[in-house]
Amino acid sequence: DTGVSQNPRHKITKRGQNVTFRCDPISEHNRLYWYRQTLGQGPEFLTYFQNEAQLEKSRLLSDRFSAERPKGSFSTLEIQRTEQGDSAMYLCASISSDRGIYGYTFGSGTRLTVV
Amino acid sequence: QKEVEQDPGPLSVPEGAIVSLNCTYSNSAFQYFMWYRQYSRKGPELLMYTYSSGNKEDGRFTAQVDKSSKYISLFIRDSQPSDSATYLCAMSEAAGNKLTFGGGTRVLVKP
């Protein structure tokens, strides 16, 4: 078990381009969360999946953002028509719902810079 | 106003001192209270958690929760330079649910 893996680690993109991030959770974890963290702030909840079902989305998740978790395994987060305000660290976390907070594991994040 | 408030610091202490961190919150539905440590360019790492009110000790770390005051604390004894990091408090309404974080306190332990 290598923990939660996120790719890429860094992404620089031009404003208006689309970007996609990938998260590979711990294999037996059924819940997967996406958070966004800007410089000097704590992570903010974006959305989460239980298996393949997307159960909750934050109002922070505008129409330009979409997330998927096909077959309840890895997840992708896509941002369309990126804006400079999208520059942030995007963190993925996974947990097994029957283990409570002990199992909450974060990845190292994808740092997005929109220029 | 944010649901969880945390002094951003930085908090600078000499090696061996006690580090005292705290958060206040407004949502009375929060039941689980956690402290995470985050090193630069890394994901948060769970340090301590407490369910409802009370104290919990683990090695050099002590977490306290006072739900009546909506106030939580983390104490780090015998601080080491390796404790230099950003400390985030986090809370949830139920185990395994989404976390609401404070803004983080940057701590610097000087040798």
Side-chain angles (χ1 to χ4, degrees), chain B residues 26-95:
Chain B
S26 57
N27 183 355
S28 57
F30 287 140
Q31 296 286 337
Y32 290 83
F33 304 90
M34 289 142 270
W35 287 95
Y36 282 83
R37 177 175 61 196
Q38 186 174 29
Y39 292 114
S40 181
R41 302 184 184 280
K42 297 290 187 182
E45 170 193 10
L46 180 65
L47 282 178
M48 297 283 288
Y49 91 96
T50 308
Y51 170 68
S52 194
S53 286
N55 296 354
K56 186 169 185 177
E57 187 173 320
D58 184 2
R60 297 185 296 116
F61 300 93
T62 300
Q64 295 181 348
V65 174
D66 181 351
K67 288 191 68 182
S68 63
S69 301
K70 296 189 177 68
Y71 185 90
I72 70 170
S73 302
L74 177 72
F75 300 95
I76 308 173
R77 290 182 298 280
D78 188 25
S79 57
Q80 304 296 311
S82 58
D83 294 325
S84 297
T86 295
Y87 290 79
L88 298 156
C89 62
M91 307 172 190
S92 69
E93 295 183 9

Side-chain angles (χ1 to χ4, degrees), chain A residues 9-10 31 33 35 37 40-43 45 56 89 91 95 97 100-102 104 106-108 111, chain B residues 2 32 34 36 38 41-44 46 49-50 56 88 92 95-99 101-104:
Chain A
R9 291 296 308 278
H10 306 277
R31 285 190 182 179
Y33 287 82
Y35 290 84
Q37 186 176 24
Q41 301 297 317
F45 168 76
E56 186 176 352
M89 173 82 88
L91 291 162
I95 187 171
S97 58
I101 59 169
Y102 281 110
Y104 222 114
F106 279 86
S108 291
R111 183 173 299 277
Chain B
K2 293 183 178 180
Y32 290 83
M34 289 142 270
Y36 282 83
Q38 186 174 29
R41 302 184 184 280
K42 297 290 187 182
L46 180 65
Y49 91 96
T50 308
K56 186 169 185 177
L88 298 156
S92 69
N97 280 21
K98 66 181 178 184
L99 301 179
F101 285 86

Side-chain angles (χ1 to χ4, degrees), chain A residues 7 24 38 46 51 57 60 79 81 91 98 100:
Chain A
N7 288 288
D24 287 272
T38 53
L46 291 178
N51 300 312
K57 293 192 288 187
L60 293 175
I79 309 174
R81 304 181 303 281
L91 291 162
D98 62 354

Side-chain angles (χ1 to χ4, degrees), chain A:
Chain A
D1 181 1
T2 56
V4 177
S5 176
Q6 291 189 247
N7 288 288
R9 291 296 308 278
H10 306 277
K11 179 71 176 179
I12 300 175
T13 191
K14 291 183 179 179
R15 189 174 53 186
Q17 297 294 306
N18 298 345
V19 293
T20 300
F21 311 140
R22 176 176 171 130
C23 172
D24 287 272
I26 292 173
S27 57
E28 63 267 28
H29 286 182
N30 60 343
R31 285 190 182 179
L32 187 150
Y33 287 82
W34 285 99
Y35 290 84
R36 180 171 67 188
Q37 186 176 24
T38 53
L39 198 63
Q41 301 297 317
E44 293 177 297
F45 168 76
L46 291 178
T47 188
Y48 93 95
F49 294 84
Q50 176 138 326
N51 300 312
E52 67 276 11
Q54 187 173 17
L55 296 186
E56 186 176 352
K57 293 192 288 187
S58 164
R59 56 183 170 77
L60 293 175
L61 212 65
S62 76
D63 291 344
R64 297 184 297 105
F65 288 71
S66 63
E68 294 182 341
R69 191 184 183 197
K71 302 179 182 178
S73 56
F74 70 92
S75 176
T76 58
L77 178 67
E78 181 183 16
I79 309 174
Q80 296 182 327
R81 304 181 303 281
T82 53
E83 300 173 357
Q84 287 190 322
D86 297 330
S87 296
M89 173 82 88
Y90 290 83
L91 291 162
C92 175
S94 71
I95 187 171
S96 177
S97 58
D98 62 354
R99 287 201 62 205
I101 59 169
Y102 281 110
Y104 222 114
T105 304
F106 279 86
S108 291
T110 294
R111 183 173 299 277
L112 173 66
T113 302
V114 182
V115 297

Side-chain angles (χ1 to χ4, degrees), chain B residues 13-25:
Chain B
V13 300
E15 182 176 357
I18 295 175
V19 176
S20 176
L21 304 166
N22 58 76
C23 290
T24 58
Y25 64 95

